[in-house]
Amino acid sequence: MKFKCAGFILAMFSLIGIGVMAFSGFENKPLLNIFSYLAVFVLIPAYGAYDVWHKRRKGLLAALLFFASQSIREIGGESWFPYFPPVSLGVPFGDFSDGQGYLVDFFAIAMAMLLAFLLWRLLAADNTVKPD
Protein backbone atom coordinates (compact mmCIF):
# COMPACT_ATOMS: atom_id res chain seq x y z
CA MET A 1 0.00 0.00 0.00
CA LYS A 2 2.91 2.36 0.71
CA PHE A 3 4.24 1.86 -2.79
CA LYS A 4 0.86 2.60 -4.37
CA CYS A 5 0.45 5.81 -2.32
CA ALA A 6 3.96 6.99 -3.22
CA GLY A 7 3.31 6.17 -6.88
CA PHE A 8 0.05 8.14 -6.75
CA ILE A 9 1.79 11.16 -5.20
CA LEU A 10 4.52 11.05 -7.86
CA ALA A 11 1.92 10.74 -10.62
CA MET A 12 -0.01 13.73 -9.26
CA PHE A 13 3.25 15.72 -9.04
CA SER A 14 3.87 14.94 -12.70
CA LEU A 15 0.32 15.86 -13.74
CA ILE A 16 0.50 19.14 -11.83
CA GLY A 17 3.77 19.83 -13.66
CA ILE A 18 1.96 19.33 -16.96
CA GLY A 19 -0.77 21.71 -15.75
CA VAL A 20 1.79 24.35 -14.80
CA MET A 21 3.27 24.19 -18.28
CA ALA A 22 -0.10 24.15 -20.03
CA PHE A 23 -1.66 27.09 -18.18
CA SER A 24 1.40 29.31 -17.91
CA GLY A 25 2.48 31.64 -20.63
CA PHE A 26 5.35 29.61 -22.02
CA GLU A 27 5.28 31.19 -25.47
CA ASN A 28 7.99 33.70 -24.55
CA LYS A 29 10.28 31.19 -22.79
CA PRO A 30 13.29 29.61 -24.53
CA LEU A 31 12.51 26.17 -25.92
CA LEU A 32 15.49 24.53 -24.20
CA ASN A 33 14.28 25.73 -20.80
CA ILE A 34 10.78 24.38 -21.45
CA PHE A 35 12.14 20.97 -22.48
CA SER A 36 14.39 20.87 -19.42
CA TYR A 37 11.41 21.68 -17.18
CA LEU A 38 9.40 18.97 -18.91
CA ALA A 39 12.18 16.42 -18.44
CA VAL A 40 12.91 17.25 -14.82
CA PHE A 41 9.50 18.07 -13.32
CA VAL A 42 7.28 15.82 -15.46
CA LEU A 43 9.17 12.87 -16.93
CA ILE A 44 11.38 11.92 -13.95
CA PRO A 45 8.45 11.88 -11.48
CA ALA A 46 6.28 10.00 -14.00
CA TYR A 47 9.03 7.41 -14.52
CA GLY A 48 9.44 7.20 -10.74
CA ALA A 49 5.68 6.75 -10.30
CA TYR A 50 5.61 3.90 -12.79
CA ASP A 51 8.57 2.11 -11.24
CA VAL A 52 7.40 2.69 -7.65
CA TRP A 53 4.01 1.27 -8.58
CA HIS A 54 5.71 -1.84 -9.97
CA LYS A 55 8.32 -1.96 -7.15
CA ARG A 56 11.37 -1.45 -9.32
CA ARG A 57 14.53 0.10 -7.93
CA LYS A 58 15.81 2.10 -10.90
CA GLY A 59 12.93 4.57 -11.17
CA LEU A 60 12.60 4.76 -7.41
CA LEU A 61 16.26 5.74 -7.17
CA ALA A 62 15.86 8.33 -9.94
CA ALA A 63 12.90 9.92 -8.14
CA LEU A 64 14.80 9.79 -4.83
CA LEU A 65 17.78 11.61 -6.34
CA PHE A 66 15.47 14.15 -7.96
CA PHE A 67 13.68 15.02 -4.71
CA ALA A 68 16.95 15.03 -2.77
CA SER A 69 18.35 17.56 -5.25
CA GLN A 70 15.24 19.74 -4.88
CA SER A 71 15.27 19.81 -1.07
CA ILE A 72 17.55 22.87 -0.83
CA ARG A 73 17.95 25.17 -3.81
CA GLU A 74 19.29 28.63 -4.48
CA ILE A 75 16.85 31.41 -5.28
CA GLY A 76 17.80 34.46 -7.26
CA GLY A 77 19.75 35.28 -10.36
CA GLU A 78 19.02 33.58 -13.64
CA SER A 79 17.04 30.41 -13.21
CA TRP A 80 17.37 27.56 -15.70
CA PHE A 81 13.75 26.53 -15.26
CA PRO A 82 11.07 28.93 -16.45
CA TYR A 83 8.66 28.01 -13.63
CA PHE A 84 8.82 26.90 -10.03
CA PRO A 85 8.34 23.25 -9.06
CA PRO A 86 4.73 22.05 -9.36
CA VAL A 87 4.39 21.35 -5.63
CA SER A 88 6.57 23.10 -3.09
CA LEU A 89 6.34 23.69 0.63
CA GLY A 90 9.41 25.86 0.80
CA VAL A 91 10.70 28.09 3.54
CA PRO A 92 13.19 30.79 2.49
CA PHE A 93 16.48 31.25 4.34
CA GLY A 94 19.05 33.93 3.79
CA ASP A 95 19.09 37.53 2.65
CA PHE A 96 16.74 38.05 -0.28
CA SER A 97 17.27 41.81 -0.49
CA ASP A 98 20.08 41.42 -3.03
CA GLY A 99 18.60 38.36 -4.76
CA GLN A 100 20.53 35.77 -2.76
CA GLY A 101 19.09 33.10 -0.52
CA TYR A 102 18.04 29.50 -0.24
CA LEU A 103 14.71 27.74 -0.26
CA VAL A 104 14.31 24.65 1.92
CA ASP A 105 11.50 22.58 0.40
CA PHE A 106 9.88 20.39 3.04
CA PHE A 107 7.72 18.57 0.49
CA ALA A 108 10.85 17.46 -1.37
CA ILE A 109 12.50 16.42 1.90
CA ALA A 110 9.44 14.38 2.93
CA MET A 111 9.25 12.71 -0.50
CA ALA A 112 12.97 11.92 -0.45
CA MET A 113 12.58 10.34 2.99
CA LEU A 114 9.55 8.31 1.85
CA LEU A 115 11.33 7.11 -1.29
CA ALA A 116 14.47 6.26 0.70
CA PHE A 117 12.32 4.19 3.08
CA LEU A 118 10.68 2.38 0.16
CA LEU A 119 14.05 1.73 -1.49
CA TRP A 120 15.36 0.37 1.81
CA ARG A 121 12.33 -1.94 1.99
CA LEU A 122 13.00 -3.21 -1.55
CA LEU A 123 16.67 -3.79 -0.83
CA ALA A 124 15.86 -5.54 2.45
CA ALA A 125 13.35 -7.79 0.69
CA ASP A 126 15.96 -8.74 -1.92
CA ASN A 127 18.50 -9.66 0.76
CA THR A 128 16.26 -11.94 2.81
CA VAL A 129 17.25 -15.55 3.01
CA LYS A 130 14.73 -17.73 1.26
CA PRO A 131 14.29 -21.29 2.49
CA ASP A 132 14.98 -24.09 0.03
Side-chain angles (χ1 to χ4, degrees):
M1 185 67 181
K2 293 176 186 78
F3 287 93
K4 305 261 188 242
C5 289
F8 178 75
I9 293 170
L10 286 170
M12 292 307 298
F13 188 88
S14 181
L15 288 174
I16 293 170
I18 291 171
V20 166
M21 286 188 61
F23 295 112
S24 297
F26 61 88
E27 295 86 19
N28 58 355
K29 304 292 183 190
L31 195 58
L32 182 63
N33 289 8
I34 292 172
F35 282 132
S36 64
Y37 185 90
L38 178 72
V40 171
F41 290 114
V42 176
L43 295 179
I44 291 175
Y47 175 62
Y50 180 77
D51 277 2
V52 167
W53 190 269
H54 293 287
K55 296 183 181 179
R56 297 183 189 146
R57 289 178 290 194
K58 190 186 293 185
L60 199 146
L61 183 62
L64 170 66
L65 292 175
F66 165 69
F67 281 107
S69 71
Q70 291 296 308
S71 60
I72 299 174
R73 59 186 178 272
E74 186 176 4
I75 300 295
E78 290 295 320
S79 177
W80 178 257
F81 298 116
Y83 314 111
F84 293 112
V87 178
S88 178
L89 298 174
V91 175
F93 286 101
D95 183 22
F96 286 91
S97 62
D98 59 351
Q100 300 295 326
Y102 293 94
L103 186 70
V104 177
D105 191 354
F106 290 106
F107 176 76
I109 292 170
M111 281 302 296
M113 290 173 51
L114 173 64
L115 294 171
F117 172 73
L118 294 177
L119 182 63
W120 176 75
R121 296 250 334 227
L122 280 178
L123 293 175
D126 288 346
N127 291 334
T128 58
V129 177
K130 297 177 183 170
D132 291 328

